[in-house]
């Protein structure tokens, strides 16, 4: 779909036939982002988070922040980005792709590769937190970059937006513990519609009141808090039903998201140096991320081969980059800022490059290396006797 959207947007005859209004394109991509954020929030298990070992915390935070900082410094020096836009790019690139990493880890669990060391569980848990961190910080940075207030407001806007988002998510999340009543007919559908509507309200209303950075944290916290209430009320079936409905809607919006991202990449407006330097920035970020992953997994009981595999599993990028890579350009275009729109296009171009390069290579690296780098559980004589 990325290639199809790219063709529609850059082949002259096709672009003349198919014109997509930028505002509608941005709206559809924002709806897709709400779905991603809601699924991420519902997927965070508070019990598991309380039991996380130090290696999981390190793996969730250290590589993400290290890659973001490395990419930000590189883009500031090589492309001349202002620091706020440099870090917007850095955190847009720093998130791993849940749509590639999680299914790959689930397949490894079925094959029992690395399960004794807990590697699939480690990667799945850490990747969720990694994505939440990258998306949340990216949203706050966008709010700061496009703030129209004075210096004091620019300094305070980030924390204010985060607090507003947290407050919205907690209040409305707790409200959804009781609406609708569990066990009544069509409860799954009603829960889904209410949660989806609240997430959309958080995303679009925050922009309407010029607190755009509050939208993403609000969606995440809303889904997380709602999930806690459903678990405590033993509504696991309802929770699974809502997750399934969001998964269905994601399958519907995913082609639109990637197609529209490809459509927005205008080859005629991109300098060749942006592509070359963009690949270099991506390589610098991935190199720093890989070194940080190796360091973060020290003391986790993994051998060197397993640490190399975890590093490879931490490379693919796709979904999050498609969802947030264009936000800077969208906001600049809406505000009528020509220079910032050009910078936003550069950010989008590098985000697309990250998808094109790392998604297939990362997925192939996981599949090819898993059988060579990971171990299956060793069956003892007692295990064999019990089977017999």
């Amino acid at each position: 779909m990325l290639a199809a959207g790219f063709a529609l947007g850059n082949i002259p005859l096709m672009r003349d036939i198919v014109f997509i209004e930028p505002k509608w394109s941005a709206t559809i991509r924002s709806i897709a982002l709400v779905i991603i954020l809601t699924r991420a929030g519902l997927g965070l298990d508070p019990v598991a988070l309380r039991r996380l070992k130090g290696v999981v915390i390190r793996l969730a935070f250290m590589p993400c922040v290290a890659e973001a900082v490395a990419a930000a410094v590189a883009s500031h020096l090589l492309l001349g980005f202002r620091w706020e836009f440099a870090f917007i790019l850095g955190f847009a690139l720093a998130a791993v792709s849940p749509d590639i990493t999680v299914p790959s880890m689930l397949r490894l669990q079925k094959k029992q590769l690395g399960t004794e060391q807990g590697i699939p569980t480690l990667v799945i848990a850490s990747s969720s937190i990694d994505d939440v961190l990258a998306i949340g910080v990216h949203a706050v940075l966008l709010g700061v970059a496009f703030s129209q207030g004075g210096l004091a407001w620019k300094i305070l806007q980030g924390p204010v937006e985060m607090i507003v988002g947290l407050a919205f998510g907690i209040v409305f999340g707790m409200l959804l513990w009781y609406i609708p009543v569990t066990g009544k007919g069509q409860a799954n559908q009603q829960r889904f519609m209410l949660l989806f509507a609240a997430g959309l309200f958080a995303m679009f209303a925050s922009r309407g009141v010029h607190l755009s950075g509050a939208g993403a944290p609000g969606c995440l916290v809303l889904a997380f808090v709602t999930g806690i209430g459903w678990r405590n009320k033993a509504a696991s079936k309802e929770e699974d039903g809502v997750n399934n409905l969001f998964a269905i809607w994601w399958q519907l919006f995913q082609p639109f998201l990637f197609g529209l991202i490809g459509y927005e990449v205008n080859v005629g407006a991109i300098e060749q140096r942006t592509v070359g330097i963009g690949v270099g920035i991506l390589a610098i970020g991935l190199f720093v991320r890989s070194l940080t992953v190796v360091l973060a997994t020290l003391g986790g009981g993994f051998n060197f081969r397993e640490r190399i595999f975890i590093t490879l599993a931490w490379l693919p990028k796709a979904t999050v980059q498609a969802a947030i890579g264009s936000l800077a350009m969208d906001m600049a275009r809406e505000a009528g800022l020509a220079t910032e729109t050009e910078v936003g296009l550069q950010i989008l171009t590098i985000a697309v490059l990250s998808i094109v390069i790392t998604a297939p290579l990362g997925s192939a690296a996981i599949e090819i290396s898993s059988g060579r780098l990971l171990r299956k559980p060793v069956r003892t004589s007692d295990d064999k006797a019990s089977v017999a």
Side-chain angles (χ1 to χ4, degrees):
M1 293 308 299
L2 189 67
F6 182 81
L8 284 175
N10 289 279
I11 297 177
L13 180 61
M14 298 183 70
R15 191 174 184 93
D16 292 339
I17 296 174
V18 180
F19 173 75
I20 301 175
E21 174 64 37
K23 288 186 177 180
W24 281 106
S25 174
T27 299
I28 293 172
R29 284 183 272 115
S30 295
I31 294 173
L33 178 58
V34 170
I35 296 173
I36 293 172
L37 293 169
T38 305
R39 295 184 70 194
L42 289 174
L44 292 176
D45 186 349
V47 176
L49 291 176
R50 285 195 295 267
R51 296 177 180 174
L52 286 177
K53 297 180 180 179
V55 64
V56 182
I57 297 295
R58 295 196 301 270
L59 191 60
F61 284 89
M62 289 173 57
C64 178
V65 174
E67 181 179 6
V69 171
V73 172
S75 62
H76 176 73
L77 296 177
L78 299 177
L79 290 174
F81 283 5
R82 299 203 317 256
W83 280 114
E84 58 266 40
F85 284 98
F87 278 98
I88 286 172
L89 172 63
F91 279 98
L93 295 178
V96 297
S97 173
D99 270 18
I100 295 176
T101 302
V102 173
S104 297
M105 294 305 106
L106 294 177
R107 286 194 293 270
L108 293 184
Q109 286 181 333
K110 291 182 179 180
K111 297 178 182 178
Q112 293 190 319
L113 285 170
T115 52
E116 191 171 12
Q117 294 75 31
I119 291 175
T121 301
L122 168 72
V123 173
I124 291 173
S126 301
S127 65
S128 298
I129 304 173
D130 176 281
D131 292 338
V132 168
L133 173 64
I135 294 172
V137 175
H138 181 271
V140 173
L141 288 170
L142 280 174
V144 173
F146 290 97
S147 172
Q148 298 180 355
L151 178 61
W153 173 240
K154 286 189 175 183
I155 295 173
L156 293 174
Q157 184 169 356
V160 168
E161 289 178 337
M162 184 62 71
I163 292 172
V164 171
L166 292 173
F168 173 88
I170 292 171
V171 172
F172 279 81
M174 294 177 67
L175 184 63
L176 292 181
W177 291 358
Y178 307 100
I179 304 173
V181 178
T182 305
K184 301 298 182 181
Q186 306 297 316
N188 287 343
Q189 290 82 350
Q190 293 175 22
R191 286 179 182 273
F192 164 77
M193 289 187 291
L194 288 170
L195 182 56
F196 196 8
L200 291 172
F201 178 80
M203 183 63 68
F204 291 102
S206 63
R207 297 177 184 177
V209 297
H210 306 291
L211 293 173
S212 57
C219 287
L220 284 166
V221 176
L222 169 71
F224 178 64
V225 172
T226 302
I228 291 176
W230 292 350
R231 292 185 184 98
N232 291 341
K233 293 169 72 70
S236 59
K237 291 183 179 180
E238 284 82 355
E239 183 187 1
D240 290 340
V242 173
N243 282 331
N244 292 337
L245 288 171
F246 272 107
I248 293 171
W249 275 74
W250 169 241
Q251 293 301 318
L252 173 65
F253 271 86
Q254 186 180 34
F256 288 101
L257 174 62
F258 283 94
L260 290 171
I261 285 294
Y263 182 86
E264 291 289 350
V265 179
N266 185 352
V267 173
I270 299 172
E271 298 180 6
Q272 291 185 354
R273 65 185 294 268
T274 300
V275 176
I277 294 176
V279 173
I281 292 171
L282 179 62
I284 291 170
L286 290 175
F287 177 74
V288 172
R289 169 180 276 271
S290 299
L291 289 181
T292 309
V293 170
V294 173
L295 293 175
T297 51
L298 286 173
F302 307 114
N303 61 34
F304 182 73
R305 293 161 66 91
E306 291 163 345
R307 286 157 62 195
I308 293 298
F309 174 80
I310 296 172
T311 300
L312 295 175
W314 229 230
L315 296 180
K317 303 177 186 299
T319 311
V320 177
Q321 286 70 31
I324 68 177
S326 64
L327 293 182
M329 184 186 68
D330 293 337
M331 294 178 68
R333 180 188 287 164
E334 185 177 350
L337 303 172
T339 302
E340 285 76 6
T341 299
E342 183 178 346
V343 173
L345 177 59
Q346 290 179 298
I347 292 174
L348 172 60
T349 301
I350 299 173
V352 171
L353 285 173
S354 74
I355 298 171
V356 173
I357 294 172
T358 67
L361 292 180
S363 179
I366 293 172
E367 294 302 320
I368 294 172
S369 66
S370 60
R372 295 174 173 81
L373 300 179
L374 300 182
R375 297 171 284 173
K376 285 190 174 183
V378 178
R379 294 178 60 184
T380 64
S381 57
D382 292 337
D383 294 332
K384 294 179 181 178
S386 62
V387 173

